[in-house]
């Protein structure tokens, strides 16, 4: 049985706040309190500016995907990762700022996008995820049940794909 991860939030939030405090004290000791406060203010201002930019960029990517009649999921997931990074930058603290920067850089954004796609697949199911993110690549093990999705490219307009269940037989 899977435990609800939100049950740990009352314990995690004070630990996170304490960690942010100790990291701030360490940085303030290393570079000076004034510079540490200035660095936090700069990261918050940069996060606010990036929130607007990432939001507009995500909305435009969604509109472009809708106009081209293609699944919007990859662009939306990429924008969600960028919005999450910008939001973490707006929060005061060096740990959240570093986490936000990691989400804004391409390798971290790619990992976050894949995590968002996996979360969507677990939450929504493979059929809805296929509509959002397009066809999925799967690995098939011998003898395992397989769902094959067939998309008719000749039919105009958005049509739900037909699913065929079966087994791979050699």
């Amino acid at each position: 049985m899977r435990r609800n991860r939100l049950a740990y939030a009352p314990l995690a939030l004070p630990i996170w706040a304490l960690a942010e405090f100790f990291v701030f004290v360490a940085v303030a000791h290393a570079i000076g309190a004034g510079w540490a406060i200035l660095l936090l203010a700069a990261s918050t201002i940069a996060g606010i500016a990036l929130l607007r930019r990432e939001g507009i960029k995500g909305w435009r990517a969604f509109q472009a995907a809708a106009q081209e009649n293609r699944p919007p999921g990859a662009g939306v997931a990429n924008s969600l990762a960028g919005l999450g990074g910008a939001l973490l930058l707006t929060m005061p603290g060096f740990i959240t700022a570093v986490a936000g920067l990691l989400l804004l850089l391409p390798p971290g954004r790619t990992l976050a996008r894949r995590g968002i796609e996996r979360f969507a697949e677990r939450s929504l199911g493979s059929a809805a995820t296929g509509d959002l993110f397009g066809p999925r690549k799967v690995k098939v093990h011998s003898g395992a049940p397989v769902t094959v999705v067939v998309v008719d490219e000749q039919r105009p307009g958005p049509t739900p794909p037909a699913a065929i269940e079966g087994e791979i037989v050699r």
Side-chain angles (χ1 to χ4, degrees), residues 88-112:
L88 285 173
L89 270 177
T90 61
M91 297 173 71
F94 289 111
I95 296 172
T96 54
V98 169
L101 284 174
L102 289 176
L103 282 177
L104 289 170
L105 297 175
R109 189 178 282 216
T110 302
L111 286 174

Side-chain angles (χ1 to χ4, degrees), residues 135-139:
R136 312 302 289 165
K137 293 180 181 177
V138 296
K139 292 182 181 178

Side-chain angles (χ1 to χ4, degrees), residues 18-112:
L18 230 73
E20 286 284 9
F21 174 75
F22 284 124
V23 169
F24 177 79
V25 169
V27 170
H29 181 67
I31 65 172
W35 288 109
I37 292 171
L38 188 64
L39 195 58
L40 281 180
S43 73
T44 300
I45 292 169
I48 291 170
L50 284 171
L51 265 175
R52 182 164 192 248
R53 189 190 83 160
E54 290 294 329
I56 291 171
K57 188 171 143 185
W59 179 248
R60 287 184 181 151
F62 177 76
Q63 285 180 328
Q67 287 175 351
E68 295 170 7
N69 202 18
R70 61 182 167 83
V76 171
N78 196 23
S79 295
L80 279 175
L83 280 170
L87 185 63
L88 285 173
L89 270 177
T90 61
M91 297 173 71
F94 289 111
I95 296 172
T96 54
V98 169
L101 284 174
L102 289 176
L103 282 177
L104 289 170
L105 297 175
R109 189 178 282 216
T110 302
L111 286 174

